[in-house]
Amino acid sequence: MIELEGFAVHPDKIARAQEWMALLKSHQEAVNATLVPEHITVERIFSLTVNNQMYLCWYSEQTAPSPDVEESSNPIDQVHVAFWHECIDESVPSMKFRLENEFVNPSLIGK
């Protein structure tokens, strides 16, 4: 399963969102460890600004649906969820991307 979805950041929380991304990056090993129980093989976070609205966009490749991160007892997940509640404006509809095509280097197929 491949997903890409963008979420609006509260305009007054852009600096905090940047701190959030820096925190995740500085705790790379701990974040990577959370991917196993979430069935995630790859997760990437992009930022995008559209009409002066900042979005954080999550791209993931999963082998099965992920459990709800809000229920995780992992400390890095709990920090992540706290930042989410502080920074993401859930009153703005998310941007849900639909996969139209996928292209893979033939030398990587079957590896």
Side-chain angles (χ1 to χ4, degrees):
M1 173 173 27
I2 296 173
E3 295 179 324
L4 175 58
E5 189 167 6
F7 302 90
V9 174
H10 287 288
D12 62 337
K13 294 294 182 177
I14 291 172
R16 283 292 286 160
Q18 291 166 338
E19 290 174 27
W20 176 16
M21 294 301 106
L23 178 125
L24 294 177
K25 190 171 192 168
S26 70
H27 291 81
Q28 188 79 43
E29 217 171 284
V31 173
N32 286 349
T34 69
L35 301 182
V36 175
E38 295 175 359
H39 312 289
I40 296 174
T41 56
V42 174
E43 182 174 61
R44 294 182 173 102
I45 304 171
F46 297 84
S47 63
L48 170 71
T49 301
V50 177
N51 297 326
N52 295 319
Q53 173 69 64
M54 180 184 181
Y55 288 84
L56 290 175
C57 304
W58 272 258
Y59 167 87
S60 66
E61 296 180 21
Q62 301 165 236
T63 58
S66 292
D68 187 350
V69 71
E70 300 243 5
E71 296 175 12
S72 174
S73 60
N74 184 300
I76 198 73
D77 279 342
Q78 292 174 348
V79 169
H80 175 66
V81 168
F83 267 107
W84 179 281
H85 288 299
E86 179 182 354
C87 297
I88 298 300
D89 184 351
E90 295 198 40
S91 72
V92 175
S94 67
M95 295 189 304
K96 294 184 182 193
F97 295 81
R98 185 178 71 229
L99 179 64
E100 296 289 348
N101 288 299
E102 182 174 280
F103 307 97
V104 178
N105 181 323
S107 66
L108 299 176
I109 296 173
K111 289 189 176 189

